[in-house]
Every structure is written in structure tokens, then in C-alpha cells.
Amino acid sequence: MSHEAPAKTHFIRQIIDEDIAAGRMAPADVHTRFPPEPNGYLHIGHAKSICLNFGIARDYGGRCNLRFDDTNPTKEDIEFVESIEADVRWLGFDWEDRQFYASDYFERLYAAAEELIGKGLAYVDDLTAEQIREYRGTLTEAGRDSPYRNRSVDENLALFRRMRAGEFADGSHVLRAKIDMASPNMNLRDPTLYRIRHEHHHQTGDAWCIYPMYDFAHALSDAFEGITHSICTLEFEDHRPLYDWCVENVTLAARPRQYEFSRLTLQYAITSKRRLTQLVKEGIVDGWDDPRMPTIAGLRRRGVPPAAIREFCERIGVTKSDNAVEMEMFEACVREELDRSAPRRMVVLRPLKVTLTNWPADRVDWLSAASHPKDESFGSRDVPFCGELYIDHEDFVEQANKKWKRLVSGDCVRLRNAYVIRCEEVIKDAEGSIRELRCSCYLDSLGVNPDGVKPRGVIHWVSARHGVAAEVRVYERLFTTPFPDREEGNFLDFVNPDSLERLSQAIVEPALAGAAVGERFQFEREGYFCRDLDSGRLVFNRTATLRDSWAKIADKA
């Protein structure tokens, strides 16, 4: 792939351009990586990093690795590995033959640790985790040297090898870097490099009982893979000196550089993996792919197109300044993409039966309806029309002023792609609830208004004889406040109790009966929806409204 000027530049691209202009590398030498920890599902914040790392490699004709930083077997699972692979592919990116694991380098990492011990730059510490925290000091007070800090090289090597051999219990020993216990940067106060974990690992099985810490493994894995630009979020800025210390003090062929950008903070969403895990474990949501979750799996199940996520990531840009992105911006990207790509269908969410009293009993008209008003390439479909229909309860009132553009008792409305009808009689049950409308149909009104008749508006409908029963799930935002993790108290106190409404009596037009899982549609006048993966049932999830209507959430709060 040739090096093409990116459509939208940012400071990281500028750094790469400077490296290329200075002759430090050719465009094809640019090598990035996306390095998730397989301890949960990816979320919308990870999507920004995926688009950034893979996008840079694509635009410069370089390479991007997918690497799992799998250094903590107590929290990792193969389920998370597989979900991450699926998410990256679904977003439209390909790591080709460059899928790696930090665990691929466990022997090399161990050798690097022994090298540091041999140089007098690492030591085995017997302090407990609580004691290590106590000795580390505070932001205003320097730390204290461990009493084990000055062990000899031979003693440290012997202890470290015994750690690997499994002779010690979890937590009894750690390997620490020997840097500076008085450093103003807490990350440099003799950070832990290895700890003992007698745990089964999803890649290496029981081969290891000591595991490297993230900062150590991450920096050296970048170097092992020849990464040129190690791009991460701003919370790792204070870790960069440790990153540099690791790659500078181990014999390596490559010296990667770390660059930080602001993470994505999306209003009305949580992107803390710990809190997302809590939502799942406590049953607040129905799994990692619940359509209310900001996980990529949840967004996919909700019906969000990958192109909308890529466009969103492009629009918000890449900066070093923390900022919160309004949910409306994300939803606008979703609507714009779906408006272009989603065929139109008619669905009645809250059915109200309409009987056409003058329609011939056995007559069925198959009416042509365009599948997209702006794109003829979508073609059309035939929609059955007969004497028994369903309209939405919300499209009828008994009395209304002239501003009401739907059906009212004694007046007319046009049915989408069909005829004009007039409501003649309202049938109610014993409690006074409306159960049926009896209407007359202007049989000569297909495509034209009858003489002297001006319909109030146009509403959608479905044939009662041909319509198909379905469940429609209407999703709202999961939280009632823009920043639930910044509010006082428990963030769960701000979960929206109305975030899911199940409409189990919906009726869809027959063309939707064979919708594929994940297929997206605009339900006319209702919003954008997609076929859910719920096996054996016809279920549709609302992806987005036709326009911004979330203000009511704030009004309820």
C-alpha cells in the first residue's frame, strides 16, 4: 500500500510525518499494535484505539499487530480473546498473520528479568503487598528502601529461579525493579516486575507460576515486535518513564517510543471495564452484549453499523486534551449511516385494529412500496392490503385540533402507500378502552385524494391477515445522568429504570418475517431497528430514533 496523505491529521500523524521526513523510517516501516488485555469485552473507547492504530498502519502502508497482553490469568478467559477477535474484524480491520500474545514471549521476558538482576537493576522482595504499599510512600513523602533491596545478584537469581520452579506460595515474593524510591513519579519507586500466581493460563496452561506485570511485559513486547509508535491513552503518560526504563535497560534490537492520546469519554455511558463487569455480574444488564452496553458486542447487537463507529471515531479526532463527547454526536453518526443503508418497512408497535366496512370481503390488493425514498437501487416490495388492518394506538384520538396530523374520529387520514380512510365508529370495551375502529375506505384514492377530501396526514399500517407477530425491544440510555461514575454515591444509583421496554404484541409486515439476524431497517415513522440474535423468535432491537428524543430522560431525572 502506498503512503497517502491522511484526510484528517492529528498530532500522532504529525509525529510520524516528521519521522519519515527526517529519514528515520520509510512510510512502510510504520508499525503499530492494538494490545487489549483479554479480561473483558471491548467497548466504544477501544474502538477509538482500534481505528487509530489500524488506520495509521493502513494509511502509511505499514503494519498493525493484534496482541493480547495476557499477563494476569486470574482475570482472563478465552471467551474474551474470541470476542476481541470478532470485534476487530467486525469493525473492518485485519491483522493478517500478526496475532500475538504477551505469553508468546514469556521465556524472553523471563530472560530479560534475569538480565536486569545480573545488572543489579532488579531484586527479589519478601515484603507483603501491604508492606510494599507502605514503603512506597505518598505523593508528598518519599518511599523507603525495602530491607531486601541490597541482596546480592547471586541471591536474587537463585530466589527468582526458585520462584519460577514453584517453590514459593502466591504473594510470598515478587521481583522488583531497582530504580528510585524517592522519585516524584510513583511508578518509578521500585515497581514490581513479576509476581507469583499458581493459576492456569488460557494460552500456556500450567507451564508458568510466575507472571510478568503489565508495564514490564507491554514495553518489552512492543520492542520484540518492532513496534515503532506505541500509542496508548493518557492514563499511561506517567508510566512512560517506566516504559522507557524497561526498553533502555534490556538488550533489545528495537527501541519503541510511547505516545499518549486522550481516551474517549462518552456521556451517558460507562467505559470502565471494572464497572462494566459489575453491570454484568450483578445482572443489571443481560450480558456483555446487552444492547444497552457500550461494548462493541452490545452496539453490534443493537444494530449500530461498523461504518457509523468508524465515522464517529474520525469526527471526534485524536488530541491530548480530555473531553467528554455528547451522546448526540454518536447517535447522529448512527442515524446518518442508517438513513443511507437501511431499507424501509412498516411495523405497528402498539396495534389497534381497523376494520374497513366497505372493503370487499375477499379482496387483497398487493401494493408497491419503495424500500428507500432516496435510493432507487433498494427497489420496492409488494405489501398486502385487505379489509382488516392494524394501525398504532398512538396514531388515533377521538378528538383533536387542526394541528393533529393523524387519525381522529369522523375525519380522514392516508395510509402509507395505500388508500385514504375515514373513521366512522369507535369500539370500546367495558372499561372504556378503545379496542377497534370501524372505518370507510375511499376505494378510488390510491395515489390521489378524493374530490373534496383533505387527509390530515399519513400514517403507517400492517395487514391484520398477513402481518407477522414479533417482539420489539425499545432501548433508552442505560443511565439517567451524563457522568454516572462522577456522581456522589454508587454509579448504579443512576441506572435508568426505563432503559428497556418490551413490546410483545408488535405486528410487522410480511417482508420482515425472513429478516436475517443483524439486518437493519427503518421502521417507518418509528426509528431504526435490527433483527436480534434471539434464536427461534422474531425480535427486533431499536438502534436509534429518527431524531434526537433523549431530552425526556433528563426531564425525568
Side-chain angles (χ1 to χ4, degrees), residues 355-359 387 424 438-441:
T355 299
L356 302 180
T357 55
N358 63 329
W359 188 267
E424 309 287 0
R438 293 185 179 170
C439 301
S440 58
C441 177

Side-chain angles (χ1 to χ4, degrees), residues 458-484:
V458 179
I459 63 174
H460 61 281
W461 54 277
V462 173
S463 166
R465 295 184 200 172
H466 304 85
V468 179
E471 178 179 307
V472 173
R473 297 171 184 170
V474 177
Y475 293 98
E476 303 284 359
R477 293 174 181 172
L478 185 55
F479 295 99
T480 58
T481 183
F483 304 106

Side-chain angles (χ1 to χ4, degrees), residues 139 226 230 266 399 433:
L139 293 174
S230 178
L266 184 63
Q399 296 181 340
S433 298

